[in-house]
Amino acid sequence: MKIDLNRRILLKGTFATSALGIAIGAGLLTPGQVLAAWPKEAFTAKDIPSALSAIMGADSAEESGDINIKAPDIAENGAVVPVTVSTSMAGVESIAIMAANNPVPLIANFNLKEGAEGFVSTRIKMGKSGDVVAVVKAGGKLYKAGKEVKVTIGGCGG
Amino acid sequence: MASKSIKIRAKMKEDVVTVKALMTHAMETGNRKDSKGETIPAHFIQGVTCTSGSKEILTADWSGGISKNPYISFKYKGASAGDDLTLTWVDNKGNTESATVKVQ
C-alpha cells in the first residue's frame, strides 16, 4: 500500500459525497435507518470537543479509571492499530473511539443495546502519534480515558 | 444469507456471547491520493448493525478511520445457543452486506 505523506490536506468535500439517495433507492434492508442517522457533523468535526458535542450532546467528559483501553504503546503501522475498550460500568449506552491527532478524530461510535456488555474491539487508523481516547456514555453521563500510542508510519493517507 | 465478504463467529461462554467479525472493505478515507496524484474517493462503511431476531444488540457509526477490512468484536448477554445473529453493514455508497451466524 502506498502511503502519501500529504495526509494533512483534508478534503472538505469528502463526506459530502455520501449517497443517501442511492442508498434508499437500492432497497436496503434494515440499515437504511442507520445510514440516515449517520452523524455527519460528528464525523467532520476537527477536534474532540466538537465531535463529542455532536455525537454525545456534551463537549466534556469526566476522566475515569473504570475504562480500560488496550492498544499498543508503539504501532508500527498506523493503518492498523488494534484497540479494545472495555469498562465495568453499569448501564453503558455507547462507546466512542477517537484518535486525538487524526484529521477527523472521531473514528467510531458504538451504541450498545439490549444485553450488550461494555466491550468493543476493532482496528483503527492513526495518522500520527497521539492519544487514543475512549468516551463511554453510561447512565446519561460521559466518562473518558486515553492512552498514548506512538505511530511509526502514519495510516490516514493524504 | 451467508456472505463471503463477512466472516462472523458468535461463541457462548457461560452466559456471555462473544462476537468476532471480519468484513472485507476498502475503507478509503477520501484523503489518500493515487500514484497520479488524484484523490481516491471516499468509500467506507458508515453503519454496522447487529441484531438477534428482532432485537438490536449493537449499532455502530464509523468513519474512514477504521482500518481496511474492518474487524469488530463485542460481547452480549441474554442469548441461548442456536440463536441467530445477523450483522449488516452499509457504506457511504449505499452498498450493503449482511451475514447471519448461529450462536455456538
Side-chain angles (χ1 to χ4, degrees):
Chain A
M1 180 167 50
K2 190 179 161 75
I3 294 175
D4 195 309
L5 293 174
N6 290 330
R7 65 172 115 79
R8 286 174 190 233
I9 304 167
L10 184 73
L11 294 168
K12 286 185 176 169
T14 299
F15 292 94
T17 52
S18 44
L20 274 174
I22 296 170
I24 293 158
L28 297 178
L29 308 166
T30 41
Q33 188 194 349
V34 174
L35 185 67
W38 195 69
K40 189 180 164 193
E41 207 175 294
F43 282 114
T44 46
K46 303 281 190 295
D47 54 70
I48 287 181
S50 44
L52 262 188
S53 54
I55 201 149
M56 301 274 200
D59 63 357
S60 63
E62 200 180 308
E63 292 278 350
S64 168
D66 292 334
I67 304 170
N68 186 15
I69 302 176
K70 203 171 109 189
D73 295 326
I74 298 171
E76 278 180 27
N77 181 0
V80 185
V81 182
V83 176
T84 301
V85 179
S86 56
T87 174
S88 52
M89 287 180 208
V92 177
E93 292 161 41
S94 59
I95 297 176
I97 297 175
M98 306 188 207
N101 286 335
N102 271 15
V104 179
L106 182 63
I107 290 169
N109 182 37
F110 298 90
N111 299 304
L112 307 178
K113 303 285 171 73
E114 214 177 316
E117 300 272 277
F119 172 97
V120 283
S121 178
T122 187
R123 301 189 295 218
I124 67 169
K125 295 176 195 165
M126 289 181 73
K128 52 185 165 175
S129 302
D131 282 349
V132 172
V133 179
V135 178
V136 173
K137 188 177 189 183
K141 285 181 87 175
L142 300 184
Y143 303 93
K144 69 170 176 182
K147 182 181 189 310
E148 200 193 345
V149 175
K150 285 200 165 66
V151 176
T152 353
I153 308 167
C156 269
Chain B
M1 287 277 279
S3 153
K4 279 182 187 164
S5 74
I6 304 175
K7 284 183 186 166
I8 181 166
R9 248 181 229 183
K11 207 156 198 181
M12 187 146 96
K13 198 177 180 187
E14 281 154 23
D15 59 341
V16 179
V17 180
T18 303
V19 181
K20 290 177 181 174
L22 265 176
M23 293 148 254
T24 307
H25 204 282
M27 297 302 282
E28 281 295 345
T29 56
N31 297 338
R32 290 198 322 144
K33 294 197 176 71
D34 64 17
S35 52
K36 290 179 191 134
E38 283 170 37
T39 305
I40 304 171
H43 187 205
F44 57 90
I45 296 178
Q46 283 188 318
V48 177
T49 314
C50 291
T51 53
S52 175
S54 59
K55 208 170 72 173
E56 247 181 14
I57 292 157
L58 174 132
T59 64
D61 296 314
W62 284 358
S63 74
I66 294 281
S67 300
K68 185 177 177 179
N69 298 338
Y71 166 78
I72 177 176
S73 174
F74 62 94
K75 297 177 180 180
Y76 72 101
K77 279 183 176 172
S80 31
D83 280 5
D84 274 346
L85 181 80
T86 303
L87 182 144
T88 307
W89 60 253
V90 57
D91 68 18
N92 65 325
K93 293 185 178 172
N95 301 321
T96 181
E97 292 261 2
S98 144
T100 302
V101 74
K102 285 206 188 309
V103 174
Q104 288 185 326

